[in-house]
Amino acid sequence: MVALAESMTGDHPARPVLVVSNKADTGGLQKAAEMGIPTAVISHKDFDDRASFDRAMTDLLLSVAPDIICLAGFMRIFTPEFTTQWQGQMLNIHPSLLPKHKGLNTHARALEAGDTLHGCTVHAVTADLDDGPILGQAQVAIAPDDTPDTLAAKVLPLEHALYPAVLRRFALGDTRPVMLGA
């Protein structure tokens, strides 16, 4: 989130209008506030079901009318109704070279699979988990002595470079994939 917000200056075609989290204690909220970006918390624990949470999220988003929604570490699965409403406007970054290793524990799963390359993917969000058109990928070689932690440390700087590059291009209406790395 910080890398995205920091990139949206100067001639960048987008500006952050709100940072939302479902957890009040996340560091990203404090960082956003320090950057002068409005923040909000909608705790999923305050709702009986996913659909109610998504309706509250929709109401909040409609109040600020974002052109683009960037998910960054938002670890909740949205309902098909939510993703359909925001289809074509919502991006996500995932720590694997999709379509490989959808879901959690991607670094360990890449190692267990014997992959030689790993990385991250920015994709348009659809109703299917970690699916949707790929808008960018960055890759790094997996070393024989890599662990899930060392692999995560290699991927994080790629995420910080890739997501802002994809967002800039996407905000200009260009959906050609951005490819970085190895």
Side-chain angles (χ1 to χ4, degrees):
M1 180 280 302
V2 172
L4 288 173
E6 287 177 345
S7 77
M8 289 186 263
T9 61
D11 68 346
H12 197 289
R15 294 291 183 267
V17 296
L18 180 67
V19 171
V20 182
S21 178
N22 63 316
K23 297 179 181 179
D25 62 349
T26 185
L29 291 174
Q30 180 180 344
K31 290 175 185 175
E34 290 168 359
M35 298 172 79
I37 304 168
T39 64
V41 176
I42 299 180
S43 175
H44 61 282
K45 295 178 181 179
D46 294 339
F47 298 90
D48 293 331
D49 56 30
R50 192 180 312 261
S52 299
F53 172 78
D54 285 4
R55 281 192 297 277
M57 184 67 71
T58 293
D59 291 345
L60 176 62
L61 291 172
L62 288 172
S63 76
V64 296
D67 295 318
I68 303 168
I69 299 166
C70 295
L71 302 177
F74 198 84
M75 302 297 288
R76 303 292 305 162
I77 297 173
F78 291 112
T79 60
E81 292 78 17
F82 183 89
T83 56
T84 298
Q85 177 167 356
W86 298 102
Q87 193 158 341
Q89 294 176 261
M90 192 165 32
L91 309 178
N92 184 43
I93 189 156
H94 183 73
S96 79
L97 296 174
L98 293 175
K100 284 185 166 190
H101 311 303
K102 296 178 181 184
L104 301 175
N105 304 313
T106 60
H107 309 304
R109 290 171 47 215
L111 292 169
E112 290 166 6
D115 294 348
T116 59
L117 292 174
H118 189 51
C120 56
T121 303
V122 175
H123 63 95
V125 175
T126 65
D128 295 322
L129 179 68
D130 297 329
D131 202 30
I134 292 174
L135 301 172
Q137 288 190 320
Q139 54 186 359
V140 63
I142 296 176
D145 61 342
D146 269 327
T147 66
D149 289 340
T150 63
L151 205 46
K154 287 181 177 181
V155 171
L156 186 60
L158 296 177
E159 293 177 0
H160 292 169
L162 179 66
Y163 210 170
V166 170
L167 174 60
R168 175 181 284 274
R169 186 178 271 188
F170 187 82
L172 292 168
D174 186 346
T175 58
R176 290 176 297 147
V178 174
M179 306 306 261
L180 305 175

